[in-house]
Amino acid sequence: MALETGKKRVVVVGGGLAGALAAKSLQSHADVVLIDPKEYFEITWAGMRAKVEPSVANRMVMKHSDYFTNGRLAMSSAVGVTETEVLTADGESIPYDYLVIATGHNDSFPKTKSERLEHYQAEYNKIESADSILIIGGGPSGVELAGELAVDFPGKKVTLVHSKEWLLDFVRPKASKKALDWLTKRKVEVILGQSVDLKSHTDGDKMFKTSTGETIVADIHFFCVGRPLGSSWIKDSVFEEALDAQGRVMVDEHLRVKGHKNVFAIGDITDIPEMKQGYLAQNHAVLVAKNVKLLMDGGKESKLRRYKAGSDMAIISLGRKEALAQFPFATLIGCFPGLIKSKDLFIGKTRKTMGV
């Protein structure tokens, strides 16, 4: 769609949960360009369910064109940025009046929705034909995948290896212990304090070596370890000084990139001291959209909304009916927290938020 003249130009880099919602929220108020290398976004926290029930993927993977109907999608990756424009891998220079950085983590995803759905079907086929499964990583993705497998495929041998001394190392010890007990009760073998060297592993080899020399035999494996931050395109740019030692973008209370009044950052890429979770990324997007609208309308900076870091709340689904929930006041496990998340995984709520 051609961009309208006379409106401010907003460029959103990254089409994940935060970037997608920001683009949707601003499309009626500005000329918006969304830069993303794929034609869709997906509800990432539902991905583990899609591996055991691929039909779920059709609801959790949505084309950008389903909600982003009044702007332009530039299907490419950002490779550089100046004070006035974003440079893409396709050689395009896209000018902006306001910039929203939402590149999260570096992921390698197929470009089209159909290819993504085929990927989830292939993952399910692998699981169905395997007798033994190795999960590398005991963060949220690894634990949730182990839970899905334990419930849907109780006859398969599932082994989870985690490099830390406790599962879900971002939650409190009590919550970590509850997750461990739940998995071991369902015959998931959990190996803590060890890693798996995949660099020396060859495709098709069913023997895996841990860092202590232990051998694990598995038909297939899933790598559920955190991915690198998607900030490499910002390095060696005018925003380089806004990156902290970990590569996160430092933001102020209004979620503006420090030192730049017309540039914002949202989602996992930010240095906000809170758990990196999807619903918080969406909160960032809503606040930044409001702040950008205010500035475009000539509002006073004193009226900009301030972001308050989220509480240490987390819900980890454990199969279709149960979950582990860490609230500021309590830690719960079982069917009650499962009612909150595990049945629909917030897919319906997120689709409603996106208007699809």
Side-chain angles (χ1 to χ4, degrees):
M1 177 177 290
L3 296 180
E4 298 180 36
T5 58
K7 288 187 174 182
K8 293 292 186 180
R9 300 165 301 183
V10 177
V11 173
V12 179
V13 185
L17 287 159
L21 183 54
K24 175 188 182 297
S25 302
L26 289 165
Q27 63 181 333
S28 298
H29 305 272
D31 283 340
V32 181
V33 177
L34 173 62
I35 301 175
D36 194 61
K38 57 192 188 316
E39 70 174 14
Y40 61 89
F41 95 100
E42 68 178 78
I43 304 171
T44 50
W45 59 75
M48 300 304 109
R49 177 69 51 80
K51 291 181 188 296
V52 302
E53 185 184 345
S55 61
V56 169
N58 197 46
R59 294 181 62 233
M60 58 170 264
V61 179
M62 291 159 267
K63 287 187 175 181
H64 292 307
S65 58
D66 290 341
Y67 68 89
F68 188 52
T69 57
N70 195 33
R72 179 167 78 89
L73 172 64
M75 269 186 63
S76 187
S77 299
V79 295
V81 62
T82 72
E83 293 277 10
T84 58
E85 58 189 13
V86 178
L87 314 175
T88 74
D90 292 338
E92 187 178 4
S93 297
I94 303 177
Y96 66 84
D97 297 303
Y98 296 91
L99 174 64
V100 181
I101 298 170
T103 42
H105 296 270
N106 282 332
D107 288 307
S108 180
F109 288 146
K111 280 186 171 290
T112 68
K113 176 179 178 178
S114 61
E115 289 173 325
R116 190 59 170 156
L117 298 185
E118 289 171 3
H119 167 81
Y120 278 116
Q121 182 64 53
E123 297 280 76
Y124 171 79
N125 293 343
K126 282 169 47 180
I127 291 170
E128 191 176 39
S129 62
D131 292 320
S132 53
I133 302 167
L134 169 63
I135 299 171
I136 303 169
S141 296
V143 170
E144 290 193 337
L145 179 56
E148 298 289 350
L149 293 172
V151 169
D152 275 29
F153 297 95
K156 297 185 185 295
K157 170 62 176 172
V158 178
T159 303
L160 186 154
V161 178
H162 188 47
S163 61
K164 303 293 179 63
E165 295 298 332
W166 62 93
L167 293 174
L168 304 168
D169 36 288
F170 67 98
V171 301
R172 295 189 291 267
K174 184 177 180 180
S176 174
K177 179 65 165 55
K178 285 180 179 291
L180 176 62
D181 291 344
W182 190 94
L183 290 174
T184 54
K185 183 179 179 181
R186 286 155 185 82
K187 300 182 180 179
V188 174
E189 181 182 2
V190 179
I191 301 173
L192 298 173
Q194 298 187 46
S195 57
V196 176
D197 180 17
L198 288 179
K199 292 181 180 179
S200 60
H201 184 265
T202 57
D203 289 342
D205 186 1
K206 297 184 179 182
M207 307 282 284
F208 298 84
K209 288 282 188 181
T210 74
S211 52
T212 62
E214 185 175 343
T215 298
I216 298 170
V217 178
D219 295 326
I220 60 173
H221 75 279
F222 291 98
F223 189 67
C224 298
V225 176
R227 295 93 60 212
L229 288 166
S231 58
S232 60
W233 64 282
I234 300 173
K235 294 177 181 176
D236 301 320
S237 77
V238 292
F239 303 136
E240 182 176 20
E241 292 186 359
L243 296 177
D244 67 11
Q246 286 72 45
R248 298 191 184 278
V249 179
M250 295 183 285
V251 294
D252 64 15
E253 60 188 346
H254 309 297
L255 301 188
R256 290 190 294 191
V257 175
K258 290 189 175 179
H260 301 272
K261 292 189 175 183
N262 65 328
V263 182
F264 296 80
I266 55 179
D268 288 0
I269 199 76
T270 66
D271 71 333
I272 300 170
E274 64 185 4
M275 291 183 183
K276 303 303 179 183
Q277 299 194 80
Y279 82 95
L280 294 176
Q282 290 175 310
N283 290 346
H284 298 177
V286 171
L287 183 142
V288 162
K290 291 177 179 177
N291 282 345
V292 171
K293 290 175 191 175
L294 176 75
L295 293 175
M296 288 192 300
D297 292 339
K300 295 180 180 180
E301 289 206 7
S302 61
K303 298 293 185 180
L304 286 171
R305 292 175 181 262
R306 292 174 170 81
Y307 182 76
K308 182 180 179 181
S311 63
D312 289 340
M313 183 180 77
I315 303 178
I316 308 298
S317 64
L318 297 169
R320 297 175 181 272
K321 294 182 178 180
E322 297 184 74
L324 168 71
Q326 174 180 279
F327 299 112
F329 55 85
T331 299
L332 304 173
I333 193 168
C335 292
F336 173 68
L339 289 172
I340 301 173
K341 178 181 180 181
S342 297
K343 183 177 180 180
D344 187 54
L345 299 171
F346 303 127
I347 294 176
K349 179 180 179 181
T350 304
R351 288 179 64 89
K352 184 178 180 180
T353 298
M354 299 304 295
V356 297

